[in-house]
Amino acid sequence: MSEISTSIVIFFTFTTLVTLLCFYHTHKSRKQLAGIFIWMAVVGILGYFGFYRVQNTIPPRFVFLLAPGILFVIVYFFFTKNNTISNEENFKWLTLLHTIRIPVEIVLYYVFIEGYIPDLMTFEGYNYDILSGISAPIIYYAVFVKKWIGKKGLLIWNFICLGLLVNILTIAVLSAQTPIQQLAFDQPNIGVTYFPFVWLPAVIVPIVLYSHLVSIKLLLNFRNSKTAANNGYK
């Protein structure tokens, strides 16, 4: 198996940093950013030395790659009362952030070509997540610039894109080399266990998930609040 090309590694690293920049604009919290960087360093070091590629362990190493970030997002979302998305400008970034899913899908396609993930995880297979990235700037323009779409339309879009995220996560988990693998036995999902692609399930996916959950929560809260009227939502 050949090494993943340097250009893809550089492109994905840049994509991850842009994701962090967008996320920072949604909160403007340096503490959160510092915490993510620390987590990135831990995951990156473990990935570089092959920790996540070890098989036949209980629990599977893949669990330590995906579960911590997802669990943290869920716990933080449901058990934190304070809302740091305090104005429309921050809320706009929650929508624009999803544009990052375009380069992520491009990276996944080239990682597939080099034999590290199955075609099921690309836009040539059953991964339609790139539609979220393509539609994000369009939705942003329609909602926040032209006001063509109100909060109800934005809410529906977030639910749809959240479903697309769950879809690719399911495929990725069932394609990984674990005891529960059900898909892609001829070309399993091993690409995300290599550095720096470990940042996709450990960092980017939790950020995207959190952005959807927060957006949905805010939009539901805006339904009968004065905040919706003040921010120009219909």
Side-chain angles (χ1 to χ4, degrees):
M1 184 177 294
S2 61
E3 291 294 327
I4 299 178
S5 66
T6 303
S7 59
I8 297 178
V9 170
I10 294 174
F11 183 65
F12 178 75
T13 301
F14 178 75
T15 298
T16 304
L17 294 176
V18 172
T19 303
L20 293 183
L21 178 63
C22 292
F23 182 72
Y24 173 75
H25 279 291
T26 68
H27 292 72
K28 301 294 179 62
S29 172
R30 295 183 179 181
K31 290 183 178 179
Q32 287 186 357
L33 190 63
I36 294 174
F37 271 120
I38 293 173
W39 174 238
M40 279 182 62
V42 172
V43 172
I45 292 172
L46 292 175
Y48 182 81
F49 287 104
F51 175 82
Y52 301 107
R53 297 199 298 272
V54 177
Q55 300 179 26
N56 301 320
T57 61
I58 299 177
R61 296 285 177 86
F62 188 82
V63 172
F64 298 106
L65 186 59
L66 182 62
I70 299 280
L71 289 176
F72 179 82
V73 166
I74 293 175
V75 171
Y76 183 84
F77 177 76
F78 285 104
F79 294 96
T80 301
K81 295 183 179 180
N82 294 329
N83 176 26
T84 57
I85 310 297
S86 57
N87 56 58
E88 183 182 358
E89 188 63 31
N90 291 353
F91 193 61
K92 290 177 180 179
W93 280 101
L94 281 175
T95 303
L96 282 176
L97 182 146
H98 297 287
T99 307
I100 204 67
R101 291 153 85 163
I102 298 175
V104 166
E105 295 307 317
I106 293 174
V107 168
L108 285 177
Y109 180 73
Y110 280 99
V111 173
F112 153 67
I113 290 177
E114 299 200 13
Y116 286 84
I117 65 171
D119 60 344
L120 295 173
M121 290 179 60
T122 73
F123 46 73
E124 284 195 343
Y126 294 98
N127 180 5
Y128 308 109
D129 202 54
I130 194 170
L131 297 177
S132 301
I134 294 173
S135 60
I138 299 174
I139 290 295
Y140 170 85
Y141 184 77
V143 174
F144 298 103
V145 179
K146 290 297 184 178
K147 313 293 183 181
W148 290 335
I149 301 176
K151 64 182 182 65
K152 185 176 181 180
L154 185 59
L155 179 63
I156 293 173
W157 177 80
N158 270 281
F159 271 119
I160 292 174
C161 294
L162 178 60
L164 294 179
L165 178 64
V166 172
N167 172 64
I168 180 54
L169 279 178
T170 303
I171 295 173
V173 170
L174 295 180
S175 300
Q177 291 181 314
T178 68
I180 65 170
Q181 182 179 3
Q182 299 294 321
L183 303 171
F185 290 96
D186 55 334
Q187 187 172 324
N189 172 23
I190 62 173
V192 296
T193 63
Y194 285 78
F195 175 83
F197 305 104
V198 289
W199 290 333
L200 176 55
V203 178
I204 295 181
V205 167
I207 287 177
V208 170
L209 174 62
Y210 177 76
S211 298
H212 276 314
L213 292 178
V214 170
S215 294
I216 290 170
K217 181 179 181 180
L218 289 175
L219 288 166
L220 290 174
N221 290 338
F222 285 163
R223 178 172 295 178
N224 297 310
S225 69
K226 293 182 180 180
T227 306
N230 293 335
N231 288 341
Y233 298 104
K234 300 177 183 179

